[in-house]
Amino acid sequence: MKKALVFITAAALLFSACVSTKTESQNDAKSVSLANPFQSFKNLSDAEKSAGFNFYLLDVFENCAIQVYRAIPKQMLEAIYDSDSGDEIRIRKAPGKNDPSGDFNIYTEMSSQKVGGVEIVFYANGNKCGKVVWRADGYTCSITSRDRMSLDKAYKTAAKIIEMNRS
């Protein structure tokens, strides 16, 4: 009887140690998060060096000023604009053909227009545009607006940036 009691106690201790270790490992896994790949810069030149390419941008438009430049080294460059009204506009450029916007919202309307041979695609709900995407010279660029902008403003902004970045 003593041997059985010792065996049961040992088994219970071993089992609880295994469960405890497994729970600690699970908690450690839950606390792990993805690292932010972006690096922030105070000026465009430093962000361009990190990204590995140039991107000519508007300093200010429609009461929005650049708050920060960010880059994912050798992959993407981004400028974040904030307006007095609280809108946040992000303009991104990345090599290749994939949409760099990070905007996965569903839009009810999609339209396009060409500017100097570059097709600009607008994603909107009614007259409010949330995302603009275009490809030129081996790069894909995007503009996103949290509060949505008019299609006219989206077109003029994209056209101006395309013009500024002609190779």
Side-chain angles (χ1 to χ4, degrees):
M1 183 73 158
K2 256 185 174 180
K3 286 183 182 180
L5 186 57
V6 170
F7 176 75
I8 292 172
T9 304
L13 288 172
L14 182 61
F15 178 74
S16 69
C18 290
V19 169
S20 175
T21 302
K22 186 174 182 181
T23 303
E24 287 171 14
S25 296
Q26 287 172 342
N27 287 340
D28 289 344
K30 288 179 186 175
S31 66
V32 174
S33 61
L34 295 175
N36 181 354
F38 283 98
Q39 296 175 354
S40 296
F41 300 92
K42 292 184 180 181
N43 62 63
L44 180 57
S45 176
D46 290 343
E48 288 174 327
K49 286 177 190 168
S50 177
F53 50 84
N54 294 332
F55 195 21
Y56 302 102
L57 293 164
L58 303 165
D59 291 329
V60 175
F61 67 94
E62 299 281 328
N63 298 322
C64 291
I66 294 176
Q67 297 302 307
V68 66
Y69 298 99
R70 299 187 333 159
I72 300 175
K74 307 296 181 211
Q75 293 181 39
M76 183 187 298
L77 193 145
E78 171 183 68
I80 301 174
Y81 297 75
D82 285 324
S83 71
D84 294 336
S85 67
D87 191 12
E88 180 180 273
I89 296 172
R90 293 174 184 260
I91 301 177
R92 291 180 170 181
K93 179 179 181 179
K97 295 181 178 182
N98 294 327
D99 175 354
S101 70
D103 181 348
F104 301 103
N105 289 309
I106 296 173
Y107 295 96
T108 57
E109 299 167 36
M110 187 175 90
S111 61
S112 66
Q113 272 187 290
K114 283 197 174 190
V115 172
V118 176
E119 183 179 28
I120 306 169
V121 181
F122 302 90
Y123 298 85
N125 293 324
N127 191 36
K128 294 296 186 175
C129 185
K131 177 171 77 169
V132 181
V133 179
W134 69 91
R135 293 184 183 99
D137 304 317
Y139 293 91
T140 303
C141 301
S142 67
I143 302 171
T144 57
S145 171
R146 181 177 56 215
D147 291 346
R148 312 290 187 251
M149 63 179 96
S150 71
L151 285 167
D152 185 56
K153 178 180 175 182
Y155 172 79
K156 287 178 181 176
T157 302
K160 182 67 176 171
I161 293 170
I162 290 167
E163 179 184 312
M164 293 169 66
N165 285 279
R166 290 251 177 238
S167 307

